[in-house]
């Protein structure tokens, strides 16, 4: 039963997603997620080709990532830059494997992202934009970026306040190595679908407002929102990128509070 047609998200599945251990496992899970993406699109009259599935491999060992690659994954999402950089170094033989860094980045680590990532989804300060741009110019590279927006209002979440995004975007054309593609958010981590949906609606509405005044060279076509527990809701509200980890790779050993400090506890009772 899909959480999105019901009033609950699938966030309470945490720790219960089975581990993928063979190429066939990955192939099956990828197909299953793609099917659910297609169904969510159908419910709201969208074309599934508008939605990109970004598999998130954080905390998983290199061997798992290689299985995912063998099953067809060509871009992997990681939320910690050092872990991503190590994996990139170890997997240089896979020349068409690309890396998307989706987690908060400290300015002093911009150098690492500039070296290997093709996409960065958590841009949230001009200091960071400047550091990334400077390092990218040195490397002779460019980077697709998403501006992270805090749509849940939780102090523990990274990202710009919605009211600050317009002014932030105006400054981004100064950084010519950054190709701004759109907005990214992490919704409230809740089992209540309606509260989660409000975060996605907020991001889409903000995008529509900002589109009127966006500077030349900046695109807001992409909306990166939705993860294993809520990607179908995100698609119903306009996501063009969904970042799905556990539903493909299997549960992570640590609770989500380890990755996102301060998460609310879930209320669903089994
Ligand atoms: C880990 C992570 C995801 C994926 O979460 P899952 O529950 O594994 O699907 C999505 N976005 C960000 C920013 C993440 O760090």
């Amino acid at each position: 039963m899909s959480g999105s047609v019901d009033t609950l998200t699938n966030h309470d599945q945490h720790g219960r997603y089975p581990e993928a251990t063979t190429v066939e496992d990955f192939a099956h899970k990828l197909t299953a997620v793609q099917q659910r993406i297609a169904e969510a699109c159908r419910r709201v009259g969208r074309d599934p080709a508008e939605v990109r599935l970004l598999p998130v491999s954080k905390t998983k060992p290199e061997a798992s990532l290689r299985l995912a690659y063998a099953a067809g994954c060509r871009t992997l999402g990681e939320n910690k830059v050092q872990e991503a950089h190590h994996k990139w170094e170890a997997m240089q033989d896979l020349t068409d494997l690309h890396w998307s860094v989706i987690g908060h980045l400290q300015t002093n680590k911009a150098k690492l992202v500039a070296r290997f990532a093709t996409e960065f989804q958590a841009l949230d300060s001009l200091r960071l934009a400047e550091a990334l741009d400077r390092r990218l110019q040195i490397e002779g590279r460019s980077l697709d970026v998403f501006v992270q927006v805090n749509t849940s209002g939780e102090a523990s979440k990274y990202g710009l306040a919605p009211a600050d995004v317009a002014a932030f975007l105006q400054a981004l054309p100064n950084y010519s190595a950054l190709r701004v593609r759109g907005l990214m958010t992490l919704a409230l981590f809740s089992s209540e679908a309606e509260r989660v949906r409000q975060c996605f609606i907020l991001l889409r509405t903000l995008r529509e407002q900002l589109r009127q005044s966006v500077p030349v060279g900046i695109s807001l076509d992409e909306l990166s929102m939705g993860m294993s527990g809520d990607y179908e809701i995100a698609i119903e509200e306009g996501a063009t990128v969904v970042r799905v980890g556990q539903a493909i790779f299997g549960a992570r050993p640590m609770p989500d509070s380890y990755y996102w400090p301060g998460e609310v506890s879930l209320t669903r009772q089994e």
Side-chain angles (χ1 to χ4, degrees), residues 81 85 88 92 95 97-101 109-120 129-145 175-179:
V81 66
H85 187 257
W88 168 74
Q92 299 261 344
T95 52
L97 179 59
H98 302 287
W99 299 89
S100 176
V101 175
K109 296 193 184 124
K111 186 177 167 175
L112 277 184
V113 167
R115 197 174 296 158
F116 75 97
T118 57
E119 182 175 88
F120 174 58
E130 178 167 359
L132 282 168
D133 187 63
R134 193 172 54 238
R135 298 307 309 192
L136 287 160
Q137 304 285 358
I138 293 168
E139 301 274 345
R141 301 183 73 238
S142 58
L143 185 67
D144 286 344
V145 300
Y175 309 111
S176 60
L178 303 182
R179 292 186 302 236

Side-chain angles (χ1 to χ4, degrees), residues 78-80 100-105 120-122 148 158 184:
E78 289 279 339
N79 80 328
K80 292 202 162 81
S100 176
V101 175
I102 61 178
H104 179 71
L105 184 67
F120 174 58
Q121 295 205 358
Q148 184 171 354
Y158 290 109
M184 176 273 217

Side-chain angles (χ1 to χ4, degrees), residues 11 14 17 54 56-58 77-80 102-104 121-122 148 184-186 189 224 226-229 231 242-248 250 252 256 259-260:
H11 284 308
H14 182 86
Y17 292 98
L54 174 62
V56 175
S57 50
K58 70 186 186 205
E78 289 279 339
N79 80 328
K80 292 202 162 81
I102 61 178
H104 179 71
Q121 295 205 358
Q148 184 171 354
M184 176 273 217
T185 201
L186 268 166
F189 194 80
S224 176
M227 47 200 267
S228 294
Y231 67 92
V242 290
R243 310 176 305 267
V244 179
Q246 300 179 84
I248 296 169
R252 286 183 291 273
D256 283 299
Y259 307 100
W260 303 297

Side-chain angles (χ1 to χ4, degrees), residues 10-129:
N10 292 317
H11 284 308
D12 64 331
Q13 287 293 311
H14 182 86
R16 294 199 264 126
Y17 292 98
E19 190 77 20
T21 58
T22 63
V23 179
E24 291 70 33
D25 281 350
F26 276 99
H28 285 139
K29 284 156 177 278
L30 286 162
T31 304
V33 173
Q34 292 286 10
Q35 255 161 26
R36 295 177 74 146
I37 289 174
E39 281 157 24
C41 284
R42 207 166 305 125
R43 285 197 289 278
V44 292
R46 297 186 62 198
D47 176 357
E50 292 171 13
V51 181
R52 168 164 61 108
L53 170 60
L54 174 62
V56 175
S57 50
K58 70 186 186 205
T59 78
K60 298 296 173 181
E62 181 187 334
S64 290
L65 276 62
R66 287 185 179 274
L67 293 173
Y69 176 89
C73 298
R74 290 297 177 269
T75 305
L76 295 174
E78 289 279 339
N79 80 328
K80 292 202 162 81
V81 66
Q82 268 152 335
E83 178 181 342
H85 187 257
H86 284 140
K87 287 172 172 173
W88 168 74
E89 279 187 319
M91 299 172 74
Q92 299 261 344
D93 55 310
L94 307 179
T95 52
D96 61 345
L97 179 59
H98 302 287
W99 299 89
S100 176
V101 175
I102 61 178
H104 179 71
L105 184 67
Q106 290 172 316
T107 308
N108 63 9
K109 296 193 184 124
K111 186 177 167 175
L112 277 184
V113 167
R115 197 174 296 158
F116 75 97
T118 57
E119 182 175 88
F120 174 58
Q121 295 205 358
L123 186 63
D124 61 0
S125 80
L126 288 181
R127 263 187 75 213
L128 180 57

